[in-house]
Amino acid sequence: MDNRAIAAMLDEIADMLEVLGDNPFKVRAYRRLAAYVDHLDTELREIHARGGLGDIPGVGKALRAKLEEMLETGDLAYYRRLRERVPPGVLEMLAIPGLGPRKVGLIYSQTGISSLDELYRAAQEKRLRQIPGLGGKTEFNIKKGIDMLRSLGREVTLGTALPRALQLRDYLAEMPQVEAVEIVGSIRRGKPLVGDVDLLVASSDEAAVREKVRKYRRVLEVDREGPGYIHGRLELGLEFEVIVVAPGDFYRSLLLCTGSRAHREKMVEAMRGVDLRGVDSEQAIYQRLAMQYVPPELREDRGEIERAREGTLPSLVTVEDLRGDLHVHTDWSDGGSNLREMAEAARARGYRYLAVTDHSQSLAVSRGLDVERLRSQVEEIRALNREWTDFRLLTGIEVDILRDGSLDLPDEVLAGLDVVIASIHSHFRLSREEQTARLEAAIRNPHVDIIGHLTGRLLVRRPGYEVDVDRVLRLAREHRTALEINAHPDRLDIDEETARRACQAGVRVAICSDAHHRADLDLVSYGVLSARRGWVGRSDVLNAMELDELLAYLGTSGGDAG
DNA sequence: GCCGTTTTCGGCCCGACTGTTTTCAGTCG
């Protein structure tokens, strides 16, 4: 088992223990280990080989034995036993908003209901309210929640699909018969939600490629197969299709398999009658069509084909353009890495600066900083900054926007920080007017530089709260407040559409990882993909600025002031 | 489950809101 699989199993164990009403601290032990393993940059297998499992924080005798069993046998008896007591369908109920482990456990033990379909029927037939502790309101919310889950469909986030697509790509790339292999379809376009993993392979031995796919250990089943293609499901039920073409057809196929349907139809039209023999890249094809190269993220038929013909496509922001990250957490609040680790990870990425923006006091669960602790953190940051000449930690906070729109820390404290992000973390159910008024108050605060994750959406889990985006954009422009593109693949908030409108409106965006661990700085690439899909250019991006320029923009004095 | 010790047990982030109660349990962030 690899780290990803082990982390998933540990998390599932935690879910099952919770439903069974086991000791919450035991549950936390499993969750903490799952998160740790998920962030590990070494395979547990290697750590095991050198006998280091016991040195992992939070691993004692019991967890160590379980890790060993997983690594050595690829299975875990304890997990199997729990599965017998808690069917998978019961765990799916945890995704329903408002339904936690206790209520799920109650429903299962009282009724034996073990799937979403059964649960939905029971809610419709008003049978749930008969369970002591549940009422009509919960019943209604369960129905609404299942409707919401169904509307989300079978799509998964890019954060789930892309790593698996890369694994399959690398697996196929090992074959000597494979001349080229690329991820295509919506993943290549960087769509935040994708329904399947599509790969294009160039090979003259397509039967061998299909055979290799069938033998891939992460393939659950193959359901369709024929000359030139093989289709089935990977882990998590994720659909995949591998298309095999002759090497001479690769780049034309690559272009046609990447764009959205509407984009593809227009390109087929454009290619009609054009001699594409001998092209050795997508760029060469566009050239023969007298078009600018269209980056995959733009291939949605939103005007990019016309602009490419005119030669007026924008130059899109790249990961390499970013000079720093302006939204990260450390172990001062709910992050998993300390200041130095975060700083070193940022330096290793080639960043010139990193703003430390831990949570503020009202977010108690995250050990949010009060004025005193913030002051201590700032001191530690100043001390650390003496160590580098090529890099700078910026002081900052992700300050909570309270219910009435006021901020969680006094103005004079915010004034002393390099970067202030204001975010909503509570009262999601207010009306559009109330929500927008809170944001307006935050934007009008002269110390606020960036509004964090504007809508609070969590992809595949929860829609964002209602916001008057037009009004926010007008205010943001007026007050030179940037909007964050929160790069976490579960958020991607603001979305690409809003990002495009922001840039058209002259509002800057900040593409930030919201990393809670040093390994998560890399998540920024998802935000860049989303930004590119929103036609965002380098000059639109706050953290593409050099340090001096940024500090001038933020209105701080640059040196060690404050 | 782990951990640390003032060392083999007792503590392990918490505060607000919701829906169900009628004084509180469960969920969420």
Side-chain angles (χ1 to χ4, degrees), chain A residues 53-120:
Chain A
L53 288 182
D55 300 332
I56 295 173
V59 172
K61 230 171 150 182
L63 284 176
R64 180 184 175 148
K66 292 192 172 78
L67 287 179
E68 283 169 356
E69 186 182 338
M70 285 192 257
L71 289 165
E72 286 162 17
T73 70
D75 200 359
L76 184 64
Y78 180 63
Y79 171 78
R80 296 283 155 211
R81 283 201 302 277
L82 285 172
R83 287 276 290 217
E84 280 169 25
R85 298 173 62 193
V86 186
V90 173
L91 294 187
E92 284 176 29
M93 297 180 195
L94 294 172
I96 299 169
L99 258 204
R102 304 314 297 248
K103 283 185 191 165
V104 167
L106 183 69
I107 292 170
Y108 178 54
S109 66
Q110 296 277 308
T111 67
I113 290 174
S114 62
S115 75
L116 287 183
D117 286 342
E118 276 178 85
L119 185 65
Y120 195 81

Side-chain angles (χ1 to χ4, degrees), chain A residues 379 381-389 560:
Chain A
E379 277 171 26
I381 289 173
R382 295 229 168 93
L384 275 169
N385 270 331
R386 295 190 198 104
E387 297 184 17
W388 305 295
T389 53
D560 272 354

Side-chain angles (χ1 to χ4, degrees), chain A residues 381-399:
Chain A
I381 289 173
R382 295 229 168 93
L384 275 169
N385 270 331
R386 295 190 198 104
E387 297 184 17
W388 305 295
T389 53
D390 60 343
F391 177 82
R392 168 100 168 255
L393 275 180
L394 301 175
T395 61
I397 193 84
E398 181 183 15
V399 66

Side-chain angles (χ1 to χ4, degrees), chain A residues 292-332:
Chain A
Q292 263 181 302
Y293 175 72
V294 182
E297 298 90 340
L298 294 188
R299 301 184 195 173
E300 298 282 354
D301 191 26
R302 293 177 186 155
E304 72 280 1
I305 293 177
E306 295 73 13
R307 293 279 295 270
R309 289 214 175 89
E310 296 166 5
T312 58
L313 277 180
S315 159
L316 303 179
V317 65
T318 66
V319 171
E320 293 73 31
D321 287 335
L322 301 184
R323 294 289 173 269
D325 198 323
L326 298 176
H327 183 176
V328 307
H329 298 267
T330 72
D331 60 0
W332 281 73

Side-chain angles (χ1 to χ4, degrees), chain A residues 104-175:
Chain A
V104 167
L106 183 69
I107 292 170
Y108 178 54
S109 66
Q110 296 277 308
T111 67
I113 290 174
S114 62
S115 75
L116 287 183
D117 286 342
E118 276 178 85
L119 185 65
Y120 195 81
R121 239 174 301 141
Q124 267 180 326
E125 293 163 6
K126 303 192 192 306
R127 281 187 279 129
L128 295 179
R129 64 181 62 182
Q130 290 159 16
I131 302 171
L134 299 188
K137 194 98 181 197
T138 304
E139 204 172 57
F140 174 75
N141 284 335
I142 286 175
K143 243 171 55 179
K144 209 175 67 176
I146 295 176
D147 282 334
M148 196 264 297
L149 290 176
R150 286 179 176 157
S151 75
L152 295 169
R154 288 180 297 100
E155 293 189 317
V156 299
T157 63
L158 190 60
T160 302
L162 181 57
R164 291 173 169 83
L166 290 169
Q167 284 171 339
L168 180 53
R169 185 198 66 183
D170 294 346
Y171 170 79
L172 292 174
E174 288 170 6
M175 289 181 75

Side-chain angles (χ1 to χ4, degrees), chain A residues 27 86 89 97 105 119 155 181 183 192 195 226 281 350 368 393 446 454 458 464 512 519:
Chain A
V27 172
V86 186
L119 185 65
E155 293 189 317
V181 50
I183 297 165
S281 67
L393 275 180
L454 181 69
L458 289 176
C512 302

Side-chain angles (χ1 to χ4, degrees), chain A residues 323-330 339 342-343 346 351-358 377 381 385 391-398 417-421 449-450 484 510 512-515 521 542-543 547 550-551 554:
Chain A
R323 294 289 173 269
D325 198 323
L326 298 176
H327 183 176
V328 307
H329 298 267
T330 72
L339 283 169
M342 292 303 287
Y351 283 162
R352 311 309 297 269
Y353 52 86
L354 180 75
V356 179
T357 54
D358 276 305
Q377 187 190 51
I381 289 173
N385 270 331
F391 177 82
R392 168 100 168 255
L393 275 180
L394 301 175
T395 61
I397 193 84
E398 181 183 15
L417 299 169
D418 294 323
V419 178
V420 174
I421 303 177
D449 304 303
I450 302 168
E484 175 184 49
C512 302
S513 68
D514 196 1
L521 287 173
L542 194 60
N543 50 321
L547 179 60
L550 176 74
L551 290 174
L554 296 174

